Amino acid sequence: MTGEADFGRDCYRMQDELQEASRKTPGQRARMSEVERLRHSCAHVMATAIARLWPDAQFAAGPPVENGFYYDVDLAHRISPADFEKIEAEMRAVTKANQPFERIVVTRAEALEYARRGRLAALSDRPAPSRFKLDILEGIPDGEPISFFRNGEFIDLCAGPHVMRTGNVGAFKLTHVASAYYKNDEKNPQLQRIYGTAFKNKTEMEAWFTMLEEAKKRDHRKIGAEMGLFAFDPDYTGPGLPLWLPKGGAMIEELEKLARETEFAAGYVRVRTPHIAREKMYLTSGHLPYYAESMFPPMELIEHEDQGARALHDPDDKFDRVLKSLQYEQHSPKEVEELVGKILGASAEAKHADADRYYLKAMNCPHHHRIFAAEPRSYRDLPLRLAEHGCCYRYEQSGELFGLMRVRSLNMNDAHIYCTTEQFAAEFNAVNEMYLKYFKIFGLEKYQMRFSTSAPEGMGKKYVDEPALWKQTEDMVRDVLKNSGINFVEAANEAAFYGPKIDVQVWSAIGREFSIATNQVDFAVPKRFGLVYRDRDNTEKTPLCIHRAPLGTHERFIGFLIEHYAGNFPLWLAPEQVRVLTIGDDAALVDYARGIVNELRANMVRVETDFGADKINGKVQRAEQSRVHTMLVIGPRDMAANAVSVRVHGKGNQGARPRTQAVADILAAIKGRTN
RNA sequence: GCCGAAGUAGCUCAGCGGUAGAGCAACGGUUUCGUAAACCGUGGGUCGCGGGUUCAAUCCCCGCCUUCGGCUCCA
């Protein structure tokens, strides 16, 4: 319950709404684009090929997805990339035959009959039934038409739509194989998911692969290593725990400076909180034990014991179950304390109840709530906007770690705004405006706010049981979004436990989507912490809390910026803003150059030098390759004229200009964050 | 966590059952050069870690770790 935003989540998100064929409505099917249709047909072509090679293959679902298609198959033979060529050759035979895709409407009884004979997603009858198809059939509601699609001997249960003939699939390629659980449920058998992509023709496919290559060159892991921004050291530091090298550190400082200035102007105050907190903090917030799996296990301070830290993961644990129940109920801090004391007392021996347990914080809000609680608050104090670049730790599953995009230590551009209901709209609107301001600075033209709301059926289960508050806050948020003309979509039944939220999706310069930040309304947790302010009428009231983090986390945001700019950062953000290159290493020349370096450094410009004996061509090339923003080339002619020659990364030689002007230009560009 | 793939010098990569190689980078020297690579030389690797097979393993087998591609999770 936090608010803070699941920054670590779903970067590079694929749009997989299309994933499960059975989930699609007829309306969605009708809207399927030409290329989606073609890819879906290609999935059938691939299944045909696989059925020819391995007749006992059992197919599940084979939908088009963004950029391609897949088909899930259960097969004793493990398909590896080495098999792709063989499968593709068979697929080519199918497309060459140019079989028509024939739609056959059947009754449920007929469909079941085919499935029992193993005839679905197959070339002929088989000894074993088409068991996944049988299961899918059962999921099709009465009244919905049931159809097969047939190409050649291959018949598949399928609602379509398809292209006219197999020959319409002009170009395709199998890309990778992964595993997936049937219907995405880990209780179901694991299937082999074979991915491919398909296009109308070869030219389009080649363009796609060229674009992939380009995207690969922008990969933040690659550029980050090239530019010396960050490093991972799994053996010593640990997986998912980035080390920020000086150049990456410089970028972090710039982002924090931007946030400090922006937030200061918007009336925020900055606070500092520790990285750890006692167990009681997270019992009160409700994070434990529900969120425990995403937290590092606690450290226990125990006397006479040398047992290791324990995590609260055991489902049979009575202690855990009682705690879990606490989460869904409203208790005053005092009640929580009493209950916890009771529980801990009852299981003292087994649970090291006497131990002092400390957790690394996975979010900042509980600490900020305690800051709110640290002093008596009056309505005159509100809104109170507490900001902190807090460092949090989340135990992301090992398979989830991905470069800077999904890490275990994260620095959040966090703030919590405590306000009254009356102040809410204005505060929320101001937060949105801050987002837009940042988007402008970073040149983000495409963005979308995804407004997640509750659903009545989830009240008291998935969501805090406060229907009136839900409605009130959701209406407020919706009004603000509508009135401000912000681009948003509403997603029902996706809210956080304690309030509606807004996920901010942005698209980088090359069109890749990133979920960069989350904005959340919280009307539940302040209550759990007993936060109150004294209102005008001398009664105590609980404030609303807005969690917001427009710049997300440094990790995710810098990863995004690397891709967005392909490492060619604007001057203000560039890790190495200026490099001064001398033509030759004549002592007087170097002295002159050093004077300029010192002047820039005195103005907080990040300058490096290349005063060696190398040829100027070599120096320029190295500087260009390191993506230094501005190169100041200094030769005897420049020294004589008290000038410098300016060269800008990617833009070439800008010519000589007076030294004072060059310095002033650089300082102005940095200050204005203009380029 | 699950399925699959990969791991050789700081980086990009070659190699192979018989004592490990290139380019770039680094370091030393020479070059004094006006905007994308001057020249010569030197150092550098327990071939991810552990075990097994073998006269001999970077190479074959097993286990582990990490990374990558997916899946799952996401209050």
Side-chain angles (χ1 to χ4, degrees), chain A residues 30-60:
Chain A
R31 284 198 304 274
M32 245 162 101
S33 70
E34 178 66 25
V35 71
E36 281 172 328
R37 233 188 286 234
L38 180 148
R39 286 167 177 169
H40 182 43
S41 297
C42 195
H44 279 234
V45 170
M46 180 176 77
T48 309
I50 291 172
R52 285 185 183 180
L53 294 163
W54 296 281
D56 60 334
Q58 289 285 352
F59 291 93

Short mmCIF file of all heavy atoms in Angstrom, two decimals, chain A residues 30-60:
data_model
loop_
_atom_site.label_atom_id
_atom_site.label_comp_id
_atom_site.label_asym_id
_atom_site.label_seq_id
_atom_site.Cartn_x
_atom_site.Cartn_y
_atom_site.Cartn_z
N ALA A 30 -13.44 -7.88 -34.92
CA ALA A 30 -13.79 -7.17 -36.15
C ALA A 30 -12.80 -6.04 -36.40
O ALA A 30 -12.54 -5.68 -37.54
CB ALA A 30 -15.20 -6.62 -36.04
N ARG A 31 -12.25 -5.50 -35.29
CA ARG A 31 -11.34 -4.37 -35.45
C ARG A 31 -9.90 -4.80 -35.73
O ARG A 31 -9.02 -3.97 -35.84
CB ARG A 31 -11.37 -3.50 -34.19
CG ARG A 31 -12.61 -2.63 -34.08
CD ARG A 31 -12.39 -1.51 -33.09
NE ARG A 31 -11.98 -2.01 -31.78
CZ ARG A 31 -12.84 -2.39 -30.84
NH1 ARG A 31 -14.12 -2.33 -31.07
NH2 ARG A 31 -12.41 -2.80 -29.67
N MET A 32 -9.67 -6.09 -35.78
CA MET A 32 -8.30 -6.56 -35.98
C MET A 32 -7.73 -6.00 -37.28
O MET A 32 -8.35 -6.08 -38.33
CB MET A 32 -8.28 -8.09 -36.02
CG MET A 32 -7.51 -8.69 -34.86
SD MET A 32 -7.92 -10.42 -34.65
CE MET A 32 -6.54 -11.19 -35.39
N SER A 33 -6.55 -5.43 -37.17
CA SER A 33 -5.97 -4.79 -38.35
C SER A 33 -5.50 -5.86 -39.34
O SER A 33 -5.39 -7.03 -39.01
CB SER A 33 -4.79 -3.92 -37.93
OG SER A 33 -3.73 -4.75 -37.51
N GLU A 34 -5.21 -5.39 -40.53
CA GLU A 34 -4.73 -6.27 -41.59
C GLU A 34 -3.51 -7.08 -41.13
O GLU A 34 -3.45 -8.29 -41.29
CB GLU A 34 -4.40 -5.42 -42.81
CG GLU A 34 -3.85 -6.19 -44.00
CD GLU A 34 -4.90 -7.13 -44.60
OE1 GLU A 34 -6.10 -6.87 -44.43
OE2 GLU A 34 -4.49 -8.14 -45.22
N VAL A 35 -2.56 -6.37 -40.51
CA VAL A 35 -1.31 -7.05 -40.14
C VAL A 35 -1.56 -8.02 -38.99
O VAL A 35 -0.95 -9.10 -38.93
CB VAL A 35 -0.17 -6.05 -39.85
CG1 VAL A 35 -0.40 -5.30 -38.55
CG2 VAL A 35 1.17 -6.74 -39.87
N GLU A 36 -2.49 -7.69 -38.09
CA GLU A 36 -2.80 -8.62 -37.00
C GLU A 36 -3.43 -9.90 -37.55
O GLU A 36 -3.11 -11.01 -37.14
CB GLU A 36 -3.77 -7.98 -36.01
CG GLU A 36 -3.10 -7.02 -35.06
CD GLU A 36 -4.08 -6.24 -34.21
OE1 GLU A 36 -5.20 -5.96 -34.69
OE2 GLU A 36 -3.74 -5.92 -33.08
N ARG A 37 -4.30 -9.71 -38.50
CA ARG A 37 -4.95 -10.84 -39.16
C ARG A 37 -3.90 -11.75 -39.80
O ARG A 37 -3.91 -12.96 -39.67
CB ARG A 37 -5.86 -10.31 -40.26
CG ARG A 37 -7.27 -10.82 -40.17
CD ARG A 37 -8.00 -10.37 -41.39
NE ARG A 37 -8.28 -8.94 -41.27
CZ ARG A 37 -9.51 -8.45 -41.40
NH1 ARG A 37 -10.52 -9.24 -41.65
NH2 ARG A 37 -9.72 -7.17 -41.29
N LEU A 38 -2.99 -11.07 -40.50
CA LEU A 38 -1.94 -11.79 -41.21
C LEU A 38 -1.07 -12.58 -40.23
O LEU A 38 -0.70 -13.73 -40.47
CB LEU A 38 -1.11 -10.76 -41.98
CG LEU A 38 0.07 -11.17 -42.82
CD1 LEU A 38 0.18 -10.21 -43.99
CD2 LEU A 38 1.36 -11.11 -42.02
N ARG A 39 -0.79 -11.94 -39.09
CA ARG A 39 0.05 -12.63 -38.10
C ARG A 39 -0.70 -13.78 -37.45
O ARG A 39 -0.10 -14.81 -37.14
CB ARG A 39 0.53 -11.62 -37.05
CG ARG A 39 1.60 -10.73 -37.63
CD ARG A 39 1.91 -9.54 -36.79
NE ARG A 39 3.01 -8.80 -37.41
CZ ARG A 39 3.38 -7.58 -37.05
NH1 ARG A 39 2.78 -6.97 -36.06
NH2 ARG A 39 4.39 -7.00 -37.66
N HIS A 40 -1.97 -13.58 -37.23
CA HIS A 40 -2.76 -14.66 -36.67
C HIS A 40 -2.78 -15.83 -37.65
O HIS A 40 -2.62 -16.99 -37.26
CB HIS A 40 -4.17 -14.17 -36.37
CG HIS A 40 -5.04 -15.20 -35.75
ND1 HIS A 40 -4.59 -16.03 -34.74
CD2 HIS A 40 -6.31 -15.57 -36.00
CE1 HIS A 40 -5.56 -16.85 -34.40
NE2 HIS A 40 -6.62 -16.60 -35.15
N SER A 41 -2.93 -15.51 -38.93
CA SER A 41 -2.90 -16.57 -39.94
C SER A 41 -1.54 -17.25 -39.96
O SER A 41 -1.43 -18.46 -40.14
CB SER A 41 -3.21 -15.98 -41.32
OG SER A 41 -4.51 -15.44 -41.34
N CYS A 42 -0.50 -16.46 -39.77
CA CYS A 42 0.84 -17.04 -39.77
C CYS A 42 1.01 -18.01 -38.60
O CYS A 42 1.71 -19.02 -38.71
CB CYS A 42 1.89 -15.93 -39.71
SG CYS A 42 3.54 -16.52 -40.14
N ALA A 43 0.34 -17.71 -37.48
CA ALA A 43 0.38 -18.64 -36.36
C ALA A 43 -0.21 -19.99 -36.79
O ALA A 43 0.31 -21.05 -36.43
CB ALA A 43 -0.39 -18.07 -35.16
N HIS A 44 -1.28 -19.94 -37.57
CA HIS A 44 -1.87 -21.18 -38.08
C HIS A 44 -0.91 -21.89 -39.03
O HIS A 44 -0.80 -23.12 -39.01
CB HIS A 44 -3.19 -20.90 -38.80
CG HIS A 44 -4.35 -20.73 -37.86
ND1 HIS A 44 -5.51 -21.44 -37.96
CD2 HIS A 44 -4.50 -19.92 -36.79
CE1 HIS A 44 -6.34 -21.07 -37.00
NE2 HIS A 44 -5.75 -20.15 -36.28
N VAL A 45 -0.24 -21.08 -39.86
CA VAL A 45 0.74 -21.68 -40.79
C VAL A 45 1.83 -22.39 -39.99
O VAL A 45 2.23 -23.51 -40.31
CB VAL A 45 1.33 -20.59 -41.71
CG1 VAL A 45 2.50 -21.15 -42.51
CG2 VAL A 45 0.25 -20.05 -42.65
N MET A 46 2.28 -21.72 -38.93
CA MET A 46 3.33 -22.34 -38.12
C MET A 46 2.81 -23.63 -37.46
O MET A 46 3.51 -24.65 -37.43
CB MET A 46 3.82 -21.37 -37.04
CG MET A 46 4.92 -21.96 -36.17
SD MET A 46 5.57 -20.77 -34.98
CE MET A 46 4.27 -20.78 -33.75
N ALA A 47 1.58 -23.56 -36.96
CA ALA A 47 1.01 -24.75 -36.33
C ALA A 47 0.90 -25.88 -37.34
O ALA A 47 1.16 -27.05 -37.02
CB ALA A 47 -0.35 -24.41 -35.73
N THR A 48 0.51 -25.53 -38.57
CA THR A 48 0.44 -26.54 -39.63
C THR A 48 1.80 -27.21 -39.81
O THR A 48 1.91 -28.44 -39.87
CB THR A 48 0.00 -25.89 -40.96
OG1 THR A 48 -1.17 -25.12 -40.73
CG2 THR A 48 -0.26 -26.96 -42.01
N ALA A 49 2.83 -26.36 -39.87
CA ALA A 49 4.19 -26.89 -40.07
C ALA A 49 4.61 -27.78 -38.91
O ALA A 49 5.15 -28.87 -39.11
CB ALA A 49 5.16 -25.72 -40.23
N ILE A 50 4.31 -27.32 -37.70
CA ILE A 50 4.71 -28.11 -36.53
C ILE A 50 3.93 -29.42 -36.49
O ILE A 50 4.48 -30.48 -36.16
CB ILE A 50 4.52 -27.28 -35.23
CG1 ILE A 50 5.55 -26.15 -35.21
CG2 ILE A 50 4.67 -28.16 -33.99
CD1 ILE A 50 5.36 -25.15 -34.10
N ALA A 51 2.65 -29.36 -36.86
CA ALA A 51 1.84 -30.59 -36.87
C ALA A 51 2.38 -31.58 -37.90
O ALA A 51 2.32 -32.80 -37.70
CB ALA A 51 0.39 -30.24 -37.17
N ARG A 52 2.91 -31.06 -39.01
CA ARG A 52 3.50 -31.97 -39.99
C ARG A 52 4.74 -32.64 -39.44
O ARG A 52 4.99 -33.82 -39.68
CB ARG A 52 3.89 -31.19 -41.25
CG ARG A 52 2.70 -30.79 -42.11
CD ARG A 52 3.19 -30.15 -43.38
NE ARG A 52 2.08 -29.69 -44.19
CZ ARG A 52 2.24 -29.08 -45.37
NH1 ARG A 52 3.46 -28.85 -45.85
NH2 ARG A 52 1.19 -28.69 -46.06
N LEU A 53 5.54 -31.88 -38.69
CA LEU A 53 6.81 -32.40 -38.18
C LEU A 53 6.59 -33.27 -36.94
O LEU A 53 7.27 -34.28 -36.76
CB LEU A 53 7.76 -31.25 -37.85
CG LEU A 53 8.23 -30.44 -39.07
CD1 LEU A 53 8.81 -29.09 -38.64
CD2 LEU A 53 9.26 -31.23 -39.87
N TRP A 54 5.66 -32.84 -36.07
CA TRP A 54 5.41 -33.57 -34.82
C TRP A 54 3.89 -33.74 -34.69
O TRP A 54 3.22 -32.91 -34.05
CB TRP A 54 5.96 -32.80 -33.63
CG TRP A 54 7.45 -32.65 -33.64
CD1 TRP A 54 8.38 -33.58 -33.29
CD2 TRP A 54 8.20 -31.48 -34.04
NE1 TRP A 54 9.65 -33.08 -33.43
CE2 TRP A 54 9.58 -31.80 -33.89
CE3 TRP A 54 7.85 -30.21 -34.50
CZ2 TRP A 54 10.60 -30.88 -34.19
CZ3 TRP A 54 8.85 -29.30 -34.79
CH2 TRP A 54 10.21 -29.64 -34.65
N PRO A 55 3.33 -34.78 -35.27
CA PRO A 55 1.86 -34.92 -35.31
C PRO A 55 1.21 -34.97 -33.93
O PRO A 55 0.02 -34.66 -33.79
CB PRO A 55 1.65 -36.25 -36.04
CG PRO A 55 2.91 -36.47 -36.81
CD PRO A 55 4.00 -35.85 -36.00
N ASP A 56 1.95 -35.33 -32.89
CA ASP A 56 1.32 -35.42 -31.56
C ASP A 56 1.31 -34.08 -30.83
O ASP A 56 0.90 -34.02 -29.67
CB ASP A 56 2.03 -36.50 -30.72
CG ASP A 56 3.50 -36.18 -30.52
OD1 ASP A 56 4.07 -35.47 -31.39
OD2 ASP A 56 4.07 -36.62 -29.51
N ALA A 57 1.72 -33.03 -31.49
CA ALA A 57 1.75 -31.71 -30.84
C ALA A 57 0.34 -31.31 -30.40
O ALA A 57 -0.63 -31.50 -31.12
CB ALA A 57 2.30 -30.66 -31.80
N GLN A 58 0.25 -30.78 -29.18
CA GLN A 58 -1.04 -30.30 -28.67
C GLN A 58 -0.97 -28.78 -28.57
O GLN A 58 -0.18 -28.24 -27.81
CB GLN A 58 -1.31 -30.89 -27.27
CG GLN A 58 -1.64 -32.37 -27.29
CD GLN A 58 -3.06 -32.64 -27.79
OE1 GLN A 58 -3.85 -31.72 -28.00
NE2 GLN A 58 -3.37 -33.92 -28.00
N PHE A 59 -1.81 -28.11 -29.33
CA PHE A 59 -1.76 -26.65 -29.37
C PHE A 59 -2.77 -26.04 -28.40
O PHE A 59 -3.84 -26.59 -28.18
CB PHE A 59 -2.04 -26.14 -30.78
CG PHE A 59 -0.92 -26.46 -31.73
CD1 PHE A 59 -0.94 -27.62 -32.51
CD2 PHE A 59 0.17 -25.61 -31.83
CE1 PHE A 59 0.11 -27.91 -33.36
CE2 PHE A 59 1.21 -25.89 -32.69
CZ PHE A 59 1.18 -27.05 -33.46
N ALA A 60 -2.40 -24.91 -27.85
CA ALA A 60 -3.31 -24.19 -26.96
C ALA A 60 -3.81 -22.93 -27.66
O ALA A 60 -4.75 -22.99 -28.41
CB ALA A 60 -2.62 -23.86 -25.65
#
